[in-house]
């Protein structure tokens, strides 16, 4: 697990917001990002802020229950971030992207997951050292009630061989890591593989 100071977390979250927006993965005010703090709390993005134009004032503190510690309003999906921190004590950062390819894949395929196999990019995911492997990217149904999403995804995350990512259908991608750099790498690798899968389908 990597925890960090609030000041360092704000700097990292502002930077990752600009990076994700530059990729086209944070349209309008979508997406939310967080980091585990060394005081036991969490830094999260303030609700409704454009992620490509974040400032340090757009990052706030919440406690382990998601309650605001500075009077600002946290992202509506803070509960999903906190569920990951509770389930995985080694997680230090969580990112939520909204690329058109990830959302498109989640809408185009049926079922509770999508298999990724044979990609060299699989080696970017923690614990994977070969392309010669098949993993499943879980897909759960969307809901405005975060407790419904959390209940649906929780058992999938604890399955043997689970990867640190999942899709919410018609919504977007969650990815996480021991620190912000690893969370970024997970999001970028999954997004790249989704784009490659859709490109392959277009040639069939």
């Amino acid at each position: 697990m990597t925890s960090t100071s609030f000041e360092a977390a704000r700097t990292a979250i502002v930077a990752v917001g600009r990076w994700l927006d530059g990729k086209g993965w944070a349209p309008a005010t979508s997406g939310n990002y967080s980091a585990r703090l060394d005081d036991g709390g969490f830094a999260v993005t303030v609700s409704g802020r454009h992620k490509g134009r974040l400032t340090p004032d757009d990052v706030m503190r919440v406690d382990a229950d998601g309650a605001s510690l500075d009077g600002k309003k946290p992202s509506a999906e803070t509960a999903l971030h906190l569920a990951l921190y509770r389930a995985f004590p080694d997680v230090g950062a969580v990112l939520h992207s909204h690329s058109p390819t990830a959302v498109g894949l989640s809408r185009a395929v049926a079922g509770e997951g999508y298999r990724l196999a044979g990609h060299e990019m699989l080696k970017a995911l923690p614990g994977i050292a070969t392309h010669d492997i098949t993993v499943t990217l879980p897909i759960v149904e969307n809901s405005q009630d975060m407790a419904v999403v959390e209940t649906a995804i929780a058992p999938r995350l604890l399955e043997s061989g689970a990867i640190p990512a999942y899709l919410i259908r018609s919504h977007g991608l969650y990815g996480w890591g021991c620190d912000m750099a690893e969370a970024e790498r997970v999001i970028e690798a999954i997004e790249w593989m989704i784009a490659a899968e859709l490109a392959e389908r277009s040639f069939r």
Side-chain angles (χ1 to χ4, degrees):
M1 175 190 73
T2 298
S3 58
T4 188
S5 69
F6 181 55
E7 292 304 315
R10 289 202 300 183
T11 298
I13 288 172
V14 167
V16 82
R18 292 175 180 168
W19 172 69
L20 286 165
D21 180 62
K23 292 278 193 179
W25 299 345
T29 61
S30 65
N32 35 78
Y33 322 128
S34 67
R36 189 189 295 271
L37 299 177
D38 51 17
D39 63 5
F42 300 89
V44 301
T45 43
V46 175
S47 179
R49 304 298 168 87
H50 192 290
K51 305 311 181 294
R53 297 192 289 270
L54 291 176
T55 70
D57 193 51
D58 298 321
V59 181
M60 61 177 292
R61 296 175 188 258
V62 298
D63 65 18
D65 296 318
S68 174
L69 297 177
D70 51 20
K72 298 176 183 178
K73 181 181 178 182
S75 166
E77 296 174 43
T78 297
L80 297 181
H81 291 244
L82 297 180
L84 291 167
Y85 290 119
R86 287 193 299 271
F88 304 111
D90 60 334
V91 168
V94 178
L95 301 175
H96 177 36
S97 58
H98 284 247
S99 79
T101 48
V103 173
L105 180 75
S106 76
R107 293 170 61 90
V109 301
E112 297 183 344
Y114 186 83
R115 294 175 64 197
L116 296 166
H119 287 285
E120 183 72 9
M121 195 62 68
L122 284 165
K123 291 160 57 178
L125 302 181
I128 296 179
T130 176
H131 73 282
D132 190 18
I133 190 173
T134 299
V135 302
T136 298
L137 176 64
I139 303 174
V140 297
E141 297 302 319
N142 195 15
S143 174
Q144 297 307 299
D145 185 342
M146 295 303 106
V148 171
V149 178
E150 180 183 346
T151 298
I153 195 58
R156 310 282 305 283
L157 302 179
L158 300 177
E159 293 173 355
S160 176
I163 61 172
Y166 68 90
L167 278 170
I168 303 177
R169 198 180 308 280
S170 297
H171 185 151
L173 175 68
Y174 269 86
W176 53 95
C178 66
D179 56 22
M180 189 64 75
E182 185 171 88
E184 289 180 31
R185 190 164 63 249
V186 167
I187 287 285
E188 188 166 25
I190 296 290
E191 291 279 12
W192 188 94
M193 286 186 280
I194 288 172
E197 291 279 323
L198 294 176
E200 180 183 357
R201 286 170 173 244
S202 74
F203 286 109
R204 291 176 182 170

